[in-house]
Each structure stands twice: as structure tokens, then as C-alpha cells.
Amino acid sequence: MLADASQISATAVMAMTAAAEAFTCAPAMMPLTLAWNDDPAAAIRRQAAAARAGLRAIRIERAPAPADFGLDLPPATEEPPRRPAPAPIIAERIVEKVVERARVRQRLPDRRKGYIQKAAVGGHKVYLHTGEYENGELGEVFIDMHKEGAAFRSLMNNFAIAVSIGLQYGVPLEEFVDAFVFTRFEPAGRVTGNDSIRSATSILDYIFRELGVSYLDRDDLANGDPEAFNADGLGHGSSEGTLAGEQDEVLPAARFISKGFSRGAAPDNLVFLPTGGKRRAAMNDAQAESDVCAACGDLALTRRAGRLICETCGVAPERLG
């Protein structure tokens, strides 16, 4: 009488399957069923029992859960918190951006101020004309040569026009000065008629030294030594002589202000006092006095010919006893 299949133990089934595998010389995929609520440890025990029985291939299956099985889960009241998105990884890039500005020519007013400097470089006369904006910035230059060939004079005139256009389009004067000082060609040599520049290596060197001294306060370009003339034409500084503007006498303002440009707006009684200016050398400590001028209240008192003279107002106050 055959027994019910449900009454046969799993161990007997595995032993019978192993015997059949030995007879057929082929592995049989034996299914091993786990209860729906078995844990992984039960599956490990079933796998170990199959190995002891000599099975070469098994398939572990889990029985389906009963139909009435369910979990009492609380209702979802809030959305679960979302993980913030990771920050994007930004790779460093070198980007070159070219910004172009509108180049607008800034023209000078029709009535402009400036000055004319006459000088001779190596015996060749040069007239330098300047034109300024209302704020005093240089806007144009003109160069006139005396008794020179037509080609050379025309070349210098057109060179001055090119420099003027560059200035009006915003090219800094410093760029022109750095580019053309120390250029060397004839005529060159001693400079006469200019109180700041004594020698130059060329006409262009003289012109842009003059512009640098007058408009950029480049005192290092002044006072060249004609006796020790070399490639740069520079001297040894202010110790060689008195720089322009270091005069001690009172000068009328008409010497520096154009009467025609001002059209009589500047009165005739304006004068420039010898205050020293930017180019005056530092006052000697031995000459400096600690007394206060009674006229202007300044401390710039120096002794001249046995008397105290105020450097600011020019008054000779009595020394306080």
C-alpha cells in the first residue's frame, strides 16, 4: 500500500533523489519548498540537509502567503522627506572674454588753450605747439621745423597729426612718452631755449621729454647734461642748476596765462608768489626756523641776509623776542 506524498519526510525524498541521480548519472533539480514565513536561517538548514544527502542541484522555493494575510500600516499623513539633490559638480574653466568699447573721438573745443615752446636741438629750430582740453589734458601737438627740407617738415607735421588723433581717441600720453624718448637720430645734441631740457638724442626725444615734463611731472626727463652727452642724455639731477619754477622773485601771472585766450577776464595785478612749487628741493634743516609768520601763519621762515623771510607770503616779519 503506497503512503500519501505529504506523509513522506523531506529527508527521505532527498535520499531517494540522490539514489536516482547515482543510477542515471545526471543531476536532478530538486525543488525545496519553504514556508511563507520561514527566515533565511531555515533556507540555510535546508541547503545543508541537501548537501548531506548527496544532492547535486536544488531549487529553493517559498510557499505563497495565505490570502487573508495583511499588514496594518498607518495611513500616510505627510510626504516623506526628499533627499536634497546633490550639488552639481562645476568644472573650473578659464574663459577669456573680450570687451570692446566704443572708440569715440573726443575733439577739442574750437577755442583752446596751450603753449608754444621754441627751442633749438643741435642748432635746428623746433617750434612745439600744444592744445589742451578744458581740464588741462593734452589733446593735440604741432611740430614746426625751421629751415628744413620740405619732406622732413611734412613728415614731422603728419607725425604730430597722428599723435594728436591718438590722444583724442584716448591713447595715454605716457605711452607716447615711453615709446619715443631716447630715440637717437640726427639732429641731436645741445638744446637751447628750453629751461628744463638741455640736451636730446633726437627731435622726438626732445619733444616727448618736453611733454613729459610739462604734462606728466616727469622731472627725471629734465636737466640733461650737454657736456656728458650719451645715449639717454640725462644729467645728475637738480644739483646741476635751478629747475624751471624755482625762481625766487615774484612773477606776473600774465607770463603764464594767455591774455588773448582769457580775453581780458584775468586782471593785470595777478602774480605768482615764490612758494617753491612741486619742483623745489627740500628745505635745509639748518635754514628752517620754528617761528610763525605773523602775516600768514606759516612756518616757512628762512634767513636771508641776516633777516627772516617768509617763503609763503614773502613778508619779512620781525623776530619775536
Side-chain angles (χ1 to χ4, degrees):
M1 181 177 181
L2 299 176
D4 188 4
S6 61
Q7 297 178 359
I8 302 174
S9 64
T11 304
V13 175
M14 288 188 290
M16 184 180 62
T17 304
E21 287 181 355
F23 178 77
T24 61
C25 297
M29 186 67 67
M30 179 180 177
L32 296 180
T33 305
L34 296 176
W36 66 273
N37 56 353
D38 281 346
D39 56 1
I44 295 175
R45 289 193 296 271
R46 291 291 184 90
Q47 186 178 4
R52 288 194 299 270
L55 294 177
R56 290 186 288 177
I58 61 173
R59 182 175 70 249
I60 299 177
E61 299 176 350
R62 183 180 292 275
D68 58 348
F69 176 75
L71 295 177
D72 296 332
L73 299 177
T77 56
E78 297 181 358
E79 293 184 0
R82 298 180 179 179
R83 298 180 58 185
I89 301 176
I90 301 176
E92 183 178 358
R93 295 184 300 171
I94 300 176
V95 179
E96 181 178 0
K97 184 178 181 181
V98 178
V99 180
E100 294 186 1
R101 297 185 302 172
R103 301 183 182 275
V104 181
R105 182 177 180 181
Q106 185 180 2
R107 297 183 179 273
L108 278 79
D110 294 336
R111 186 178 181 85
R112 65 203 65 167
K113 60 183 181 295
Y115 71 91
I116 301 175
Q117 174 68 56
K118 173 188 175 182
V121 179
H124 296 254
K125 291 183 181 180
V126 183
Y127 293 85
L128 175 63
H129 303 246
T130 65
E132 303 174 2
Y133 291 102
E134 295 180 354
N135 59 357
E137 296 292 332
L138 180 65
E140 68 178 3
V141 294
F142 292 100
I143 304 171
D144 292 334
M145 302 292 295
H146 183 64
K147 293 183 179 180
E148 299 292 341
F152 185 68
R153 294 178 62 181
S154 300
L155 183 62
M156 295 301 295
N157 289 335
N158 286 275
F159 172 77
I161 293 174
V163 173
S164 301
I165 294 176
L167 292 172
Q168 294 173 19
Y169 271 101
V171 179
L173 178 60
E174 294 88 344
E175 297 294 332
F176 287 113
V177 172
D178 294 338
F180 293 109
V181 294
F182 307 145
T183 53
R184 190 178 186 89
F185 59 87
E186 295 296 331
R190 180 185 296 272
V191 176
T192 58
N194 193 303
D195 55 357
S196 296
I197 302 172
R198 299 181 182 178
S199 64
T201 58
S202 63
I203 296 293
L204 295 184
D205 178 56
Y206 159 72
I207 290 172
F208 286 98
R209 283 195 189 195
E210 166 61 27
L211 296 177
V213 171
S214 300
Y215 289 98
L216 302 178
D217 298 331
R218 290 284 302 273
D219 296 337
D220 57 308
L221 300 178
N223 261 5
D225 186 3
E227 301 299 333
F229 185 71
N230 51 27
D232 56 10
L234 295 178
H236 300 287
S238 60
S239 61
E240 294 180 350
T242 303
L243 291 174
E246 286 192 349
Q247 66 279 353
D248 294 332
E249 68 275 6
V250 177
L251 298 177
R255 179 174 175 180
F256 306 99
I257 300 177
S258 173
K259 184 177 181 180
F261 180 83
S262 61
R263 289 179 173 173
D268 297 334
N269 58 351
L270 289 179
V271 295
F272 281 94
L273 296 178
T275 57
K278 293 179 292 184
R279 300 179 182 175
R280 177 175 296 276
M283 183 184 297
N284 193 339
D285 295 338
Q287 296 179 349
E289 299 289 342
S290 61
D291 295 331
V292 179
C293 177
C296 64
D298 202 347
L299 298 175
L301 296 179
T302 59
R303 184 174 298 278
R304 297 180 184 173
R307 300 181 60 190
L308 289 176
I309 304 297
C310 180
E311 291 287 343
T312 302
C313 61
V315 179
E318 296 294 336
R319 184 177 180 86
L320 300 178

